[in-house]
Amino acid sequence: MSQFNIAELGDNFKKASESQGIEIIPYIDGFEQLYIFFTILGKMFGFVGSDIKSKVDILRKHCTEDTNKERYVCVNDMLAYEKEIGVAEVNTRKFSSGSRTLLRLHRALLFIHKMFIEIVSTSESDISSHIVEAYDDSLAKFHPFYIRGSARFAMRHGVPLREDLLHKVFGKDADESVVAEDIKTAAVYIKTVYDQVEKLYTHYDFHELP
């Protein structure tokens, strides 16, 4: 497995935020880093990592292999195109719409932003309750009861102590102050991208895609 790189994560979302209409490739490249992050946290977060990976793979295929891949360069063009041809809600074995797929990543991105903020803003060693709070304030509202219960259990029992998490993800020799600044920087770009994509989904009335 590749090593998690917080600077690369921030750079990918920075590039996505600076592009017109939110460029998809750097967006999903950022999620590739987040997949590594959740995988490092262990099997209790495996369900998050596998969900991210499957959706990244769908979007990357649209961007690189679709017969109309030029319509999948940025989020705005993708949403407009799939609305125009009426496939935004489609999710079958043969075709999963980019709009529906990216919406799931978009919802997760707010949780990830809140999670990063909690990691750097608290001095408490046990941060599990803070991560659960971040989940409840974001992604939980889109999950059915049984998934919410499983997710909260994983966070309460699977989130390492703050110092152990930082060592596990960034290495024992990492400078905590430098790591904290890198996380804050990445969080800023993540939130910028989230806000812009949120506006696009509102514009196309796609927030309730099944």
Side-chain angles (χ1 to χ4, degrees):
M1 182 190 300
S2 302
Q3 187 175 0
F4 176 66
N5 187 320
I6 186 66
E8 185 175 331
L9 170 66
D11 287 345
N12 281 319
F13 281 103
K14 180 177 185 287
K15 183 177 180 181
S17 72
E18 293 174 343
S19 60
Q20 187 172 4
I22 304 294
E23 192 177 349
I24 295 175
I25 288 296
Y27 182 94
I28 59 177
D29 283 346
F31 266 98
E32 291 277 14
Q33 284 296 318
L34 290 169
Y35 165 71
I36 297 170
F37 173 79
F38 283 109
T39 302
I40 291 172
L41 288 184
K43 59 184 179 181
M44 293 291 278
F45 285 88
F47 72 97
V48 180
S50 61
D51 196 43
I52 287 174
K53 190 71 172 69
S54 65
K55 288 171 174 52
V56 164
D57 288 346
I58 290 170
L59 287 168
R60 197 176 295 280
K61 188 173 182 179
H62 278 304
C63 293
T64 59
E65 300 179 22
D66 195 282
T67 53
N68 292 299
K69 61 185 179 182
E70 72 277 1
R71 303 299 298 269
Y72 289 90
V73 173
C74 69
V75 175
N76 183 56
D77 287 351
M78 176 184 74
L79 301 184
Y81 171 63
E82 291 194 342
K83 185 163 190 170
E84 176 188 333
I85 64 174
V87 300
E89 297 186 5
V90 177
N91 180 40
T92 67
R93 293 182 65 181
K94 291 186 177 181
F95 180 88
S96 291
S97 81
S99 304
R100 182 186 180 279
T101 301
L102 192 136
L103 178 60
R104 272 62 184 173
L105 293 180
H106 173 65
R107 291 169 176 173
L109 199 58
L110 183 60
F111 163 61
I112 292 162
H113 170 261
K114 289 178 177 291
M115 181 180 181
F116 279 3
I117 294 300
E118 292 293 348
I119 290 172
V120 297
S121 63
T122 182
S123 58
E124 296 176 29
S125 184
D126 184 354
I127 60 172
S128 59
S129 62
H130 296 281
I131 304 305
V132 171
E133 183 178 347
Y135 171 75
D136 285 342
D137 287 344
S138 56
L139 198 51
K141 67 183 72 174
F142 302 107
H143 286 165
F145 175 78
Y146 71 94
I147 291 182
R148 291 199 302 269
S150 298
R152 288 177 182 132
F153 180 87
M155 292 169 200
R156 288 192 182 102
H157 300 280
V159 175
L161 297 177
R162 183 178 183 275
E163 55 271 26
D164 292 338
L165 184 150
L166 294 176
H167 289 161
K168 193 172 187 178
V169 175
F170 299 99
K172 292 185 177 181
D173 296 328
D175 185 320
E176 185 174 328
S177 62
V178 173
V179 167
E181 286 304 312
D182 286 343
I183 294 175
K184 288 178 185 177
T185 300
V188 168
Y189 292 125
I190 285 172
K191 187 60 164 60
T192 300
V193 168
Y194 174 85
D195 288 343
Q196 292 184 43
V197 172
E198 181 77 358
K199 290 177 182 178
L200 290 173
Y201 272 83
T202 298
H203 174 73
Y204 290 101
D205 194 22
F206 275 0
H207 282 296
E208 304 302 323
L209 290 177

